[in-house]
Amino acid sequence: MKSSPITLLSTLFFTGLLACQNALATDTNQSVSQKLQQEALASSLAFDIVESLTVEVGPRLAGSEKDLIAVQWAEKKLTSLGFDKVYKEAVQVPVWQRGEAKANIVSPYAQPLVITALGGSIGTPEDGISAPIVRFETLDALKQADPSQVTGKIVFIDHITPRFKTGKGYGMTVGGRSRGAIAAAEKGALAIVIRSIGTDHDRMAHTGMMRYQEGVDKIPAAAMSNPDADLITLMLKRDPNVVMHLEMSPKNLGYATSYNVIAEVTGSSKPDEIVLIGAHLDSWDEGTGAIDDGAGVAIVTAAGHYIAQLPTKPARTVRVVLYAAEELGLIGGKSYAKEHQAELAKHYIAAESDFGAGRIYQIDFNVADKAFAAVQAHTSSMQDNGVAPGNNKASGGPDVSMLPGYGVPVASLRQDGSDYFDYHHTPNDTLDKIDPKALAQNAAAYAQFAYLMAQSEIELRPLTPKAK
Amino acid sequence: MKSSPITLLSTLFFTGLLACQNALATDTNQSVSQKLQQEALASSLAFDIVESLTVEVGPRLAGSEKDLIAVQWAEKKLTSLGFDKVYKEAVQVPVWQRGEAKANIVSPYAQPLVITALGGSIGTPEDGISAPIVRFETLDALKQADPSQVTGKIVFIDHITPRFKTGKGYGMTVGGRSRGAIAAAEKGALAIVIRSIGTDHDRMAHTGMMRYQEGVDKIPAAAMSNPDADLITLMLKRDPNVVMHLEMSPKNLGYATSYNVIAEVTGSSKPDEIVLIGAHLDSWDEGTGAIDDGAGVAIVTAAGHYIAQLPTKPARTVRVVLYAAEELGLIGGKSYAKEHQAELAKHYIAAESDFGAGRIYQIDFNVADKAFAAVQAHTSSMQDNGVAPGNNKASGGPDVSMLPGYGVPVASLRQDGSDYFDYHHTPNDTLDKIDPKALAQNAAAYAQFAYLMAQSEIELRPLTPKAK
């Protein structure tokens, strides 16, 4: 069809009007984003939330009594902060009790050690295990060892976790924690005690989840502090025959009910479309769970509150999810994906805060390649808050990492994790490790992100398959 | 008498010759001092010694089995390092066993705490003590409190130890540790739990010696980590009625024999005159006693060794004293002063290294005022090693601090103690906290100091009384 001059003029007029509207909408979005940023940076709300959680609840191992107290705390806190809906969804979680863990070197130089049981580990016999230590520098070295070196011994993996801003050193060693007991048992070891997965030199051991494998003997698994690993390594240089005594009494006690706790700011025009910002409510039991993941709970809760208080609600629903039992294997995240499967097509984007309280320096996405530049432009007002544009290879965070498998776009708001693995999973995970200003910067970034995503006109799907 | 011209010339001639000899001697002293410095800075000996002590012995609480193993270690190590004499002197020391120490908040928010018993404390009844906490910001505030506020409660002193290069923050709070139990018991408290005397934010409690007083009830005394003190303070802001449960099982078990271990490089021309450099061999039981006082043991032992290896021995005897039971109240130091009282007039000067392994930045003396400038000039070659001249108000170090009372001059080689009270008396007192280069700088300074003092022609006595 040939356009008449009138039609052409009319089309141009309406196109112009639309552009103008879009520009106005963009201006409004950026202006609200800036307002959210200013409000969050000036507020102590996020710190008040993590203080409340760590002081009034403290450690909250999934499946424990304190875990349920944390759930009550979360419902009450979210309700008090003006969300439209607050509800919880039951999740079955394993019950593991830490018990006691003691170790010492028997010979050649009797010395006590500082250790902790790894999560899920079985105990030793009541009178413990005494056996020579066999040291490996890595999990791979253990896997390559001749079983005759390992049988009847206590395996010691002496891997060292290097420090990076991104925290990637954790990924380089955590396999020894999660799969070391399987590899050691396959070669006949009696127990495994690893150098803690941590970048510190504190005499504290770092706990964390480990796994067994069907058909392979279950052996006790523990971590020792970095100074203790140094000590044993220096003993082994003097005498290859170092004997350790190990006593541990953890117990696996079946399953209990925990909950994902959810709160929403209902969208004004697309209430069935979801922008999900999450964190995990559970923690390990030795610190007070301030950085892992009280900080995340505080960040996404405060961000949701700032959006709930806006005079005009955003188009999409902003959903804050406080996941259950992340530490025990992303159990709340997996449960959420399963229970909400029918709704996942309506999840516009998701992100989880689970890397402490260090400042966010970059935002990465996992969206359709064709949408990446547009979504970067749409979130560019976050740069004022120190958040630079990043790449399109985000995982989104532990509990949302399964969502891209269902086609859900995700974002990773990258935090400076230089000191995160100094404290992670130790008694040192306490409130004093959080810088209130850095926490407020995080809350500002999540508020900006959630609001801008809830207002976005960009089609983020389908995800572009990523090279492995 | 009127001098003849000949006599005058002759006097001038001999005075000139003497000046020349002195100048030559000074040159030789400074040249040997520089040689000692270079040797120490290039050597790993001091680090090797503290590694040996912490790996092969480790914690060595005075009066324990490990304390005697440490004495054997010291005799063997000193003998192997070429001293002319190695011997030990018996010291009676109290036997205190740590047992277990557990505490938790019962209400309003149940949480476990990290605590440690203070040295010398009695235990609680077997089923513990549960009582409300009453908080004081300082020992003085406790002393001024009305007994009705305190009776039947657990006293919590929340003093904060500030960080200084000189370590003087310790002196500002340690009274709460040493005398808090007396003050609390005088007002009817059931127990006392103090904020640790430490500058860190690690979730580790700092132990250390405490005292009881005749005629005042003995109550259990513990320290909690700084994060735990923060936690209780935040709870008290929410609810003044915070109840703590405390269980401790330490025991006081009479007395045992320990030893001051002594080694000497015999003086070439004044063998009965002593330059004493000391450190303490005992340690607390939770770390491996690396900085307190393995470092000091290594520093003075290495310094003595370098002097023992010189082709020409110094004039005076250099005596290395590794004191027993410093931690339990300067017991080895007091015993030495008593046992060697007759010989103290022949002690030219004494200094103890007991402040970790931070670099020495200054040397202070306590000598006759008229000798001060001369002794500063005589030790000026230490400036090349980073040791600036200081004041004339030195204490000399804990175990030699009683010697000025007997007229013995002392020196304090001041170390940078900025981080010393992060680790002091905690499980974190381990080898990795020592910088080998800083330790070598210390050994160099002690070698220079001991040599120059053993060669000195300066009359350091009588001490000038110091204003209190």
Side-chain angles (χ1 to χ4, degrees):
Chain A
M1 187 183 81
K2 196 185 168 201
S3 299
S4 74
I6 295 292
T7 312
L8 189 64
L9 279 171
S10 161
T11 305
L12 281 170
F13 175 77
F14 285 106
T15 306
L17 202 64
L18 194 66
C20 182
Q21 280 182 325
N22 281 345
L24 282 172
T26 301
D27 280 356
T28 305
N29 288 338
Q30 301 316 323
S31 136
V32 174
S33 166
Q34 282 164 0
K35 186 173 169 295
L36 287 166
Q37 181 190 320
Q38 286 158 11
E39 187 180 349
L41 292 180
S43 166
S44 68
L45 176 64
F47 194 81
D48 293 345
I49 293 169
V50 66
E51 178 185 308
S52 170
L53 177 58
T54 57
V55 172
E56 297 160 26
V57 184
R60 46 201 180 275
L61 183 61
S64 71
E65 196 183 337
K66 290 297 284 294
D67 185 30
L68 296 181
I69 292 172
V71 168
Q72 287 171 6
W73 171 91
E75 289 183 278
K76 197 172 156 189
K77 185 64 73 183
L78 290 162
T79 302
S80 76
L81 287 170
F83 288 88
D84 299 317
K85 278 193 205 169
V86 177
Y87 54 103
K88 63 186 178 187
E89 297 179 341
V91 181
Q92 294 308 300
V93 303
V95 179
W96 179 77
Q97 279 178 1
R98 175 169 300 284
E100 301 285 328
K102 290 183 182 177
N104 58 283
I105 299 299
V106 175
S107 67
Y109 310 114
Q111 289 219 30
L113 301 172
V114 173
I115 67 157
T116 189
L118 294 180
S121 176
I122 63 166
T124 61
E126 203 175 332
D127 54 354
I129 292 169
S130 288
I133 287 171
V134 55
R135 174 180 176 274
F136 298 97
E137 295 209 343
T138 61
L139 174 62
D140 280 347
L142 165 61
K143 286 180 176 170
Q144 286 157 27
D146 191 283
S148 66
Q149 288 179 264
V150 177
T151 298
K153 295 185 179 162
I154 296 175
V155 162
F156 163 40
I157 302 185
D158 198 24
H159 50 206
I160 291 172
T161 304
R163 187 185 300 276
F164 290 100
K165 182 178 178 182
T166 62
K168 72 177 180 181
Y170 186 68
M172 294 160 72
T173 49
V174 73
R177 187 189 82 201
S178 56
R179 301 188 302 277
I182 300 166
E186 278 176 334
K187 296 190 192 282
L190 301 180
I192 179 168
V193 183
I194 65 166
R195 180 189 280 268
S196 283
I197 313 298
T199 45
D200 59 298
H201 277 277
D202 288 315
R203 205 169 189 205
M204 288 186 188
H206 295 237
T207 191
M209 206 57 190
M210 53 77 64
R211 293 182 224 151
Y212 293 119
Q213 184 174 298
E214 211 163 323
V216 179
D217 284 349
K218 292 183 178 183
I219 59 172
M224 69 182 93
S225 78
N226 274 304
D228 288 86
D230 293 346
L231 183 67
I232 291 179
T233 302
L234 289 169
M235 283 189 189
L236 286 164
K237 281 187 184 165
R238 287 160 164 77
D239 185 339
N241 190 31
V242 173
V243 177
M244 178 188 281
H245 181 75
L246 181 65
E247 278 180 38
M248 289 164 51
S249 58
K251 281 183 184 154
N252 288 293
L253 296 169
Y255 285 82
T257 302
S258 186
Y259 298 89
N260 289 334
V261 183
I262 301 173
E264 293 180 1
V265 180
T266 309
S268 56
S269 58
K270 300 169 186 170
D272 58 337
E273 293 189 20
I274 310 295
V275 172
L276 188 162
I277 52 174
H280 68 84
L281 185 56
D282 68 308
S283 80
W284 282 106
D285 48 337
E286 297 195 285
T288 60
I291 63 163
D292 187 14
D293 185 23
V297 168
I299 290 163
V300 298
T301 299
H305 168 77
Y306 299 132
I307 293 168
Q309 298 303 104
L310 286 174
T312 308
K313 297 290 163 69
R316 294 189 182 83
T317 290
V318 173
R319 181 179 286 174
V320 172
V321 182
L322 305 183
Y323 291 99
E326 187 274 342
E327 298 294 2
L328 307 189
L330 316 182
I331 293 171
K334 289 173 187 166
S335 173
Y336 180 92
K338 193 175 159 198
E339 297 297 322
H340 290 261
Q341 199 169 341
E343 194 193 25
L344 292 183
K346 293 283 194 178
H347 278 53
Y348 184 70
I349 196 165
E352 182 178 19
S353 172
D354 182 19
F355 199 51
R359 283 174 188 270
I360 297 172
Y361 62 89
Q362 182 174 307
I363 181 165
D364 296 341
F365 288 94
N366 180 2
V367 298
D369 277 349
K370 64 181 167 48
F372 180 53
V375 81
Q376 282 190 305
H378 185 62
T379 51
S380 61
S381 58
M382 294 172 69
Q383 291 177 33
D384 290 348
N385 191 30
V387 185
N391 61 47
N392 196 25
K393 296 174 185 170
S395 73
D399 284 305
V400 304
S401 64
M402 56 290 284
L403 296 184
Y406 296 91
V408 179
V410 295
S412 288
L413 283 69
R414 300 274 181 212
Q415 293 172 275
D416 185 332
S418 301
D419 66 357
Y420 184 65
F421 292 112
D422 287 349
Y423 309 126
H424 181 253
H425 293 190
T426 73
N428 245 344
D429 180 1
T430 48
L431 187 63
D432 51 295
K433 309 307 182 303
I434 295 179
D435 171 5
K437 289 204 166 136
L439 193 71
Q441 187 260 1
N442 274 267
Y446 268 86
Q448 292 179 288
F449 165 77
Y451 177 78
L452 291 169
M453 292 295 103
Q455 291 289 83
S456 167
E457 301 289 339
I458 305 160
E459 176 54 58
L460 301 181
R461 303 189 183 212
L463 299 184
T464 311
K466 298 289 181 293
K468 289 282 176 186
Chain B
M1 188 182 86
K2 195 181 167 205
S3 299
S4 74
I6 295 290
T7 311
L8 189 65
L9 279 172
S10 161
T11 304
L12 282 170
F13 175 76
F14 283 106
T15 305
L17 200 63
L18 194 65
C20 180
Q21 279 180 329
N22 281 346
L24 282 172
T26 299
D27 282 354
T28 305
N29 287 339
Q30 301 316 323
S31 133
V32 173
S33 167
Q34 282 164 0
K35 186 172 169 294
L36 287 166
Q37 181 190 322
Q38 285 158 12
E39 187 181 349
L41 293 180
S43 167
S44 68
L45 176 64
F47 194 81
D48 294 344
I49 292 169
V50 66
E51 178 184 308
S52 171
L53 177 57
T54 57
V55 172
E56 296 160 28
V57 183
R60 45 199 181 277
L61 183 62
S64 72
E65 195 183 337
K66 290 297 282 296
D67 184 31
L68 296 182
I69 292 174
V71 167
Q72 287 171 7
W73 171 92
E75 289 183 277
K76 198 171 155 190
K77 185 64 71 183
L78 290 162
T79 303
S80 76
L81 287 170
F83 288 86
D84 298 318
K85 278 194 206 168
V86 176
Y87 54 102
K88 62 186 178 188
E89 296 179 342
V91 180
Q92 294 308 299
V93 303
V95 179
W96 179 77
Q97 280 179 0
R98 176 169 298 285
E100 301 285 329
K102 289 181 182 177
N104 57 283
I105 300 299
V106 175
S107 67
Y109 310 114
Q111 289 218 32
L113 301 172
V114 173
I115 67 157
T116 191
L118 294 180
S121 176
I122 62 166
T124 62
E126 203 174 335
D127 54 355
I129 292 169
S130 289
I133 288 171
V134 56
R135 174 180 176 274
F136 297 97
E137 294 209 345
T138 62
L139 173 63
D140 280 346
L142 165 63
K143 286 180 176 170
Q144 286 155 29
D146 190 284
S148 66
Q149 287 179 263
V150 177
T151 299
K153 294 186 180 163
I154 296 175
V155 162
F156 163 40
I157 301 185
D158 198 23
H159 49 205
I160 290 172
T161 305
R163 187 185 299 278
F164 289 100
K165 183 178 178 181
T166 60
K168 72 176 180 180
Y170 186 69
M172 295 161 72
T173 50
V174 73
R177 187 189 82 202
S178 56
R179 301 188 302 276
I182 300 165
E186 279 176 334
K187 296 190 192 282
L190 300 180
I192 179 168
V193 182
I194 64 166
R195 181 187 280 269
S196 282
I197 312 298
T199 46
D200 59 300
H201 277 276
D202 287 315
R203 206 170 188 207
M204 288 184 187
H206 296 237
T207 192
M209 206 59 190
M210 53 78 62
R211 293 181 224 151
Y212 293 118
Q213 184 174 298
E214 211 162 326
V216 179
D217 283 349
K218 292 183 177 183
I219 60 172
M224 69 182 94
S225 78
N226 274 304
D228 288 86
D230 293 346
L231 184 67
I232 293 179
T233 301
L234 289 169
M235 283 189 188
L236 286 164
K237 282 188 183 165
R238 285 161 166 77
D239 184 341
N241 188 30
V242 173
V243 177
M244 178 187 282
H245 180 75
L246 181 66
E247 278 180 39
M248 288 164 51
S249 58
K251 283 182 184 152
N252 288 295
L253 296 169
Y255 284 81
T257 302
S258 185
Y259 299 90
N260 289 334
V261 183
I262 301 173
E264 294 179 1
V265 181
T266 310
S268 56
S269 59
K270 301 169 185 168
D272 58 336
E273 293 189 20
I274 309 296
V275 171
L276 188 161
I277 53 175
H280 68 84
L281 184 57
D282 67 311
S283 80
W284 282 106
D285 47 337
E286 299 197 285
T288 60
I291 63 163
D292 186 15
D293 186 24
V297 168
I299 289 162
V300 299
T301 300
H305 168 77
Y306 299 133
I307 293 168
Q309 298 302 104
L310 287 174
T312 308
K313 297 290 163 69
R316 292 189 183 84
T317 289
V318 172
R319 180 178 286 176
V320 173
V321 182
L322 306 183
Y323 291 99
E326 186 274 341
E327 298 294 3
L328 308 188
L330 316 182
I331 294 172
K334 289 173 188 167
S335 172
Y336 180 92
K338 193 176 161 199
E339 297 298 320
H340 291 261
Q341 199 169 340
E343 194 193 26
L344 292 183
K346 292 283 194 178
H347 278 52
Y348 184 69
I349 195 165
E352 182 178 21
S353 171
D354 182 19
F355 199 50
R359 284 174 187 271
I360 297 171
Y361 62 88
Q362 183 174 306
I363 183 166
D364 296 341
F365 288 94
N366 180 2
V367 297
D369 279 348
K370 64 179 166 50
F372 181 52
V375 81
Q376 282 190 306
H378 186 62
T379 51
S380 61
S381 58
M382 293 172 71
Q383 291 179 32
D384 290 347
N385 191 30
V387 184
N391 61 48
N392 197 25
K393 298 174 185 172
S395 75
D399 284 304
V400 304
S401 63
M402 56 289 287
L403 296 185
Y406 296 90
V408 179
V410 295
S412 289
L413 283 68
R414 300 273 181 212
Q415 294 174 273
D416 184 331
S418 300
D419 67 358
Y420 184 65
F421 292 112
D422 288 348
Y423 308 127
H424 181 253
H425 294 191
T426 74
N428 245 345
D429 180 1
T430 49
L431 187 64
D432 51 295
K433 308 308 182 302
I434 295 179
D435 170 6
K437 288 202 165 138
L439 192 72
Q441 187 261 1
N442 273 269
Y446 269 85
Q448 292 179 289
F449 166 75
Y451 177 78
L452 291 168
M453 291 297 103
Q455 291 288 86
S456 167
E457 302 287 342
I458 305 160
E459 177 55 55
L460 301 182
R461 303 187 185 213
L463 298 184
T464 312
K466 298 289 180 289
K468 288 282 176 187

